[in-house]
Amino acid sequence: MDASFRSIMLERCYSDKSTMTPQRLLILDTLVELNKPVSAYELKDYLKGIGNSLNIASIYRILEFWCGLKLAHRISAKNKFISCSVPGDTHTHIINFCQKCEKTIESCHEKMGIDIEAGAKFLGLKLADNSHLEIPVFCSSCS
């Protein structure tokens, strides 16, 4: 995990008045290191393989904690998690994930030319604070 990501992580924990535990740090470090979508069970197996054993309920709680702080994203369609690649950005994150190889590219609504907030407002809606969009795609290698 680079210094910038670690700084944002510590700042968000402090602002949220949350405690940084070794288990929380281990999970986030592992998500950053793996740099691909992983399920909680895949994460459990990986951690067991490197000598760290956490029960699945703890892993899910920790993953939800990081998602709440916007340092990880849950890809609902795949029930997998990935670390946020642009944690300093305050826009709506768009998770583009390949349906074949699961390569994930994180972008934002501004770069993709999508005005999500205006569309929601037009419908009389407001986006949730921790929202992101998932777009199933086929990457250039798989299409």
Side-chain angles (χ1 to χ4, degrees):
M1 176 181 322
D2 71 10
S4 172
F5 192 95
R6 187 171 292 274
S7 174
I8 291 169
M9 172 197 66
L10 292 171
E11 179 184 314
R12 292 202 186 154
C13 284
Y14 180 77
S15 295
D16 193 54
K17 295 179 174 58
S18 298
T19 305
M20 175 56 65
T21 66
Q23 293 85 3
R24 286 177 174 173
L25 188 56
L26 174 65
I27 294 290
L28 191 59
D29 274 338
T30 304
L31 281 178
V32 170
E33 177 187 327
L34 293 174
N35 194 32
K36 66 177 187 174
V38 291
S39 71
Y41 286 94
E42 290 169 334
L43 196 53
K44 182 181 187 321
D45 291 342
Y46 178 83
L47 292 172
K48 185 177 180 182
I50 60 170
N52 293 292
S53 183
L54 291 174
N55 69 51
I56 198 67
S58 294
I59 292 172
Y60 272 113
R61 272 194 304 274
I62 293 168
L63 288 168
E64 290 304 325
F65 170 79
W66 290 124
C67 287
L69 292 181
K70 300 181 184 179
L71 293 172
H73 301 295
R74 180 174 186 259
I75 302 173
S76 299
K78 297 285 186 179
N79 197 25
K80 293 191 175 193
F81 298 83
I82 190 164
S83 64
C84 180
S85 65
V86 285
D89 289 354
T90 57
H91 55 261
T92 302
H93 294 243
I94 298 180
I95 312 298
N96 303 278
F97 61 94
C98 180
Q99 292 293 287
K100 281 189 176 180
C101 71
E102 294 191 348
K103 177 181 179 179
T104 304
I105 298 169
E106 188 169 352
S107 185
C108 75
H109 69 283
E110 295 165 349
K111 289 180 183 171
M112 294 186 76
I114 304 169
D115 194 345
I116 298 167
E117 292 171 2
K121 188 175 181 179
F122 177 77
L123 297 171
L125 306 170
K126 182 180 183 287
L127 293 175
D129 288 336
N130 63 347
S131 63
H132 68 270
L133 294 177
E134 302 168 17
I135 301 178
V137 297
F138 291 100
C139 70
S140 58
S141 301
C142 295
S143 59

